[in-house]
Amino acid sequence: MAFDQAEFITGATRIDNCPEPTLPEICMAGRSNVGKSSLINTLTGHKNLARTSNTPGKTQQMNYYRIDNEFFLVDLPGFGYAKVSKKERARWGEEIRIYLLKRQTLSIILHLVDARHEPTALDQEFFFWMGTHQKPFSVVLTKADKISGNKLVQSVRRVETLLDQMNIEVPVLPCSSETGKGVTDVQSLILDFAKEPIT
């Protein structure tokens, strides 16, 4: 499964710079260097659509990618490593919070976590925040090819246990941008939410 058409539309540094809210939006959140750009490229079958970088914090805006003229993939700035002032980082945080809470076309949040590591305190805080605000989300465990099958099973169970302790039940999907493992599961989830009517 691959999306036929994909194009970069804009990079919004503020909520009022986002495109008109006419299409469903699937946003990707997570720590810097967790593999958001690589996953976007793999999901769309366009290897140079989203710029990948080894420099943490490279994405410093909400990057909009229009898919098949039917929905947007939105790459949010990674949290944790951005090399900017505390004031600017705080402003980004506020803009993203407003986006996540107020954007009426936001259909689901894909929270990316590196399968090789335990979810960080920031990851866990975000799980709880999304659950508390009843935001539809899924946890996507990236870089699944980097660990053994047994380790991956343990990683999935670890996240499911954390979520269960927060009384949250959402999909936990392991995937790999390198091998394509689990990518169709993520695509199917995206399409399910992209088809939901905008209210």
Side-chain angles (χ1 to χ4, degrees), residues 29 34-36 39 110-120 123 127 138-147 151-160 162-163 171-183 186 189:
V34 76
K36 298 194 305 298
L39 183 57
L110 303 183
H111 182 177
L112 277 58
V113 176
D114 191 325
R116 299 171 296 179
H117 308 298
E118 291 189 23
T120 65
D123 289 318
F127 293 162
S138 172
V139 178
V140 178
L141 295 178
T142 60
K143 307 183 183 183
D145 60 296
K146 305 297 185 184
I147 55 178
K151 291 284 188 182
L152 185 59
V153 170
Q154 292 173 16
S155 183
V156 171
R157 288 177 178 167
R158 183 168 56 216
V159 173
E160 288 175 340
L162 277 171
L163 293 168
V172 179
L173 305 177
C175 75
S176 167
S177 297
E178 291 292 324
T179 67
K181 174 184 176 63
V183 168
V186 179
L189 180 70

Side-chain angles (χ1 to χ4, degrees), residues 28-69:
M28 294 191 177
R31 289 182 64 83
S32 300
N33 261 21
V34 76
K36 298 194 305 298
S37 296
S38 294
L39 183 57
I40 288 171
N41 291 340
T42 301
L43 288 169
T44 61
H46 294 68
K47 64 180 181 179
N48 295 317
L49 180 65
R51 295 178 182 175
T52 60
S53 173
N54 291 323
T55 304
K58 192 69 172 179
T59 300
Q60 300 181 2
Q61 54 194 6
M62 294 177 277
N63 287 329
Y64 271 78
Y65 303 91
R66 188 167 57 208
I67 313 298
D68 291 339
N69 292 315

Side-chain angles (χ1 to χ4, degrees), residues 82-94:
K83 294 181 179 180
V84 295
S85 68
K86 288 183 179 180
K87 181 178 179 181
E88 183 69 1
R89 191 157 57 238
R91 185 188 69 76
W92 285 350
E94 180 62 15

